[in-house]
Amino acid sequence: DTAVSQTPKYLVTQMGNDKSIKCEQNLGHDTMYWYKQDSKKFLKIMFSYNNKELIINETVPNRFSPKSPDKAHLNLHINSLELGDSAVYFCASSQSFQRLAPDTQYFGPGTRLTVL
Amino acid sequence: AQTVTQSQPEMSVQEAETVTLSCTYDTSESNYYLFWYKQPPSRQMILVIRQEAYKQQNATENRFSVNFQKAAKSFSLKISDSQLGDTAMYYCGATNKLIFGTGTLLAVQP
């Protein structure tokens, strides 16, 4: 069974559109994350939720809005897409989050977003 | 600010040989942990090994081991008996900001 799943795996859209990426984990974890991997393969944390509460919010444009309906889901909505938003977006989860010793993260397969 | 540096963008090794990937970091935290993830062509991120900073003994997972030099803020990954399936991008990372390095692309040659 897939532990962390993301849909869709590929997303091609026009500049200015609004799109969402969904993430679900069936590991019973309390904490979920969104990462962005750009064309140079740099991987950067964007957001983290612990039990549906936002705990990490890095410097990300407010066009990006995470939503956590329950602790097994963390969706990412992006408004007014721009060319620079093209990247691979990874969802991850971990058992819990303690600031000095976060648990091991389990990653989803990634969503490749292409903005034309 | 926390930083993680991987100075080797690409490396190549022959099958069955040993290779070491370098990583240095900078943090003002007194307690933290470090990790290595691999990302094969399938794009899946897979944890290779992690090390708590308070532990002096180097972590080992089968063919993978680390050389953790806390004073030098160095955390290198050694892969012994390299296999073709080890071909991947390898990311070093550090808590507490969940920062990843820029990655090292390792190619294992037959």
Side-chain angles (χ1 to χ4, degrees):
Chain A
D1 285 344
T2 303
V4 182
S5 60
Q6 294 178 227
T7 53
K9 289 189 177 178
Y10 299 93
L11 182 55
V12 181
T13 187
Q14 297 288 331
M15 213 165 41
N17 284 349
D18 303 338
K19 290 293 179 185
S20 292
I21 306 172
K22 295 185 177 181
C23 178
E24 177 181 2
Q25 53 95 3
N26 62 5
L27 297 167
H29 288 168
D30 288 341
T31 309
M32 296 184 73
Y33 311 81
W34 275 109
Y35 287 86
K36 178 180 180 181
Q37 185 176 42
D38 63 22
S39 58
K40 295 183 179 179
K41 302 292 188 182
F42 295 163
L43 195 62
K44 190 172 181 182
I45 183 76
M46 298 173 69
F47 301 103
S48 179
Y49 271 71
N50 187 57
N51 274 323
K52 301 196 299 175
E53 288 191 24
L54 184 65
I55 55 172
I56 293 176
N57 185 359
E58 293 298 310
T59 306
V60 176
N62 57 15
R63 298 181 294 102
F64 290 78
S65 53
K67 287 185 172 52
S68 183
D70 54 63
K71 73 175 189 178
H73 296 84
L74 181 61
N75 303 324
L76 183 64
H77 188 75
I78 315 170
N79 289 328
S80 302
L81 278 156
E82 299 177 358
L83 295 177
D85 298 333
S86 295
V88 179
Y89 291 85
F90 285 96
C91 177
S93 74
S94 65
Q95 182 63 55
S96 64
F97 183 85
Q98 298 175 42
R99 183 172 173 272
L100 295 181
D103 288 323
T104 297
Q105 295 175 65
Y106 294 83
F107 283 78
T111 295
R112 181 177 293 279
L113 171 65
T114 303
V115 182
L116 303 174
Chain B
Q2 279 188 314
T3 59
V4 176
T5 302
Q6 293 179 247
S7 58
Q8 305 151 316
E10 295 184 23
M11 292 194 73
S12 181
V13 64
Q14 292 295 125
E15 201 174 1
E17 293 188 347
T18 296
V19 64
T20 299
L21 279 56
S22 302
C23 175
T24 58
Y25 64 93
D26 189 19
T27 180
S28 57
E29 300 287 347
S30 58
N31 191 20
Y32 52 92
Y33 81 89
L34 303 157
F35 49 82
W36 281 93
Y37 274 84
K38 66 182 278 190
Q39 186 180 36
S42 67
R43 213 170 64 191
Q44 184 72 47
M45 292 285 288
I46 303 164
L47 178 69
V48 175
I49 199 165
R50 59 177 276 175
Q51 168 94 38
E52 280 75 11
Y54 66 86
K55 291 185 177 178
Q56 293 186 339
Q57 188 171 2
N58 288 326
T60 300
E61 289 286 341
N62 300 316
R63 298 182 294 107
F64 299 87
S65 62
V66 299
N67 183 5
F68 177 42
Q69 302 289 326
K70 192 171 183 178
K73 293 185 177 176
S74 170
F75 184 63
S76 60
L77 175 69
K78 186 172 84 170
I79 306 174
S80 304
D81 186 25
S82 297
Q83 300 176 0
L84 295 177
D86 295 333
T87 293
M89 181 74 87
Y90 286 81
Y91 290 97
C92 176
T95 63
N96 311 305
K97 291 276 189 178
L98 299 172
I99 294 175
F100 285 78
T102 51
T104 296
L105 181 59
L106 176 67
V108 180
Q109 308 292 343

